[in-house]
Structures are given as C-alpha cells and as structure tokens.
Amino acid sequence: MSIRNALKSLTRKPQNAPADDACVVLNGTEDFDAAIVSRDKLMVLLYASWCPYSQAFLPLYLAHAAAGEPCYARIIVDDEDVLVERYGINVFPTVLFFEKGQLVRRLDGIYHRGLTQGQLQDFARRCAVR
C-alpha cells in the first residue's frame, strides 16, 4: 500500500454529510459544471481527502459558509484529474470564486501550509461574498 493510499484510508470521512453542512456538496465534474452556471456567485473549495491541510481547512470553510450567504460548495478532487488540470491546481486546498459562470478569483493553498481562516476571510471580502 502506498503512503498516499494509507493516508486516504486514515482520513476518509463518512459519505453522509452532517446536517449542519452549509455547503453544496458536489459529486463530480458534471455537478461542478452545473453548479457554477446555476448561481450568480459561487465559492468552491477543491480539496483532497488524503491531504492533512485540506482536512484542517475544511472545518474553517464549513464554519465560514454557515455564517454567509448560501453560495458555497465543496468537492473532493481525489480522482477528478479533469478539474485539477482544468484549473491548474498544484496545492490543496484551493478555493475558486465564480461569478456568472466565470472564474473571477482564486485562493491557492500554500505548499506545506495550506490555508488559514484569515486568508479565507480576506478572500471572501475581496469577492464581496458577505
């Protein structure tokens, strides 16, 4: 078993999302594409289940989403190479902000550091999400 697969098995979350999850959970590229065109503004977290920085950032993102407008989504991109390639994602987590179906801004995680609550709050302010 590779280290990556071992980390995946250790960090895999249950498939059932908690009832208080304020994010739209996207399941694959088709859901992702439909979501970005169906809303005027949408912030999307792309993360990996095996990535400790993604797992540390996820609760911060969920709390931020719960306090804001219902324009937040998240997608696990473990096996979605199409999205990773399409948006040139090199570090997890990455947050993308779409307006009327177009990518307007992005917040890329920092290698070996991930993202912080302050970075997310600043990013949301710049996107005028709140």
Side-chain angles (χ1 to χ4, degrees):
M1 176 182 284
S2 71
I3 293 174
R4 184 176 181 165
N5 287 338
L7 283 173
K8 278 184 183 182
S9 67
L10 289 173
T11 60
R12 188 162 311 270
K13 300 288 183 193
Q15 293 297 328
N16 301 336
D20 62 345
D21 190 342
C23 294
V24 175
V25 179
L26 305 174
N27 296 306
T29 307
E30 288 180 19
D31 278 0
F32 180 90
D33 291 338
I36 63 173
V37 297
S38 68
R39 298 178 187 259
D40 285 342
K41 294 181 179 183
L42 183 66
M43 188 173 294
V44 183
L45 170 65
L46 292 91
Y47 65 108
S49 65
W50 51 264
C51 173
Y53 303 103
S54 291
Q55 296 308 312
F57 182 70
L58 183 58
L60 301 174
Y61 185 80
L62 294 175
H64 188 82
E69 296 177 20
C71 59
Y72 292 82
R74 62 188 175 100
I75 183 168
I76 296 174
V77 288
D78 289 348
D79 301 317
E80 286 293 333
D81 293 331
V82 172
L83 295 176
V84 171
E85 288 182 30
R86 183 190 299 174
Y87 294 104
I89 296 171
N90 295 314
V91 178
F92 294 114
T94 292
V95 181
L96 303 178
F97 179 71
F98 295 89
E99 203 164 0
K100 297 183 179 171
Q102 298 297 314
L103 177 62
V104 178
R105 293 184 184 271
R106 65 185 293 148
L107 176 63
D108 292 290
I110 299 168
Y111 188 67
H112 284 293
R113 292 178 62 198
L115 292 170
T116 66
Q117 182 176 1
Q119 289 171 308
L120 178 60
Q121 289 170 338
D122 182 55
F123 181 71
R125 248 188 316 277
R126 286 182 298 160
C127 296
V129 173
R130 291 202 172 159

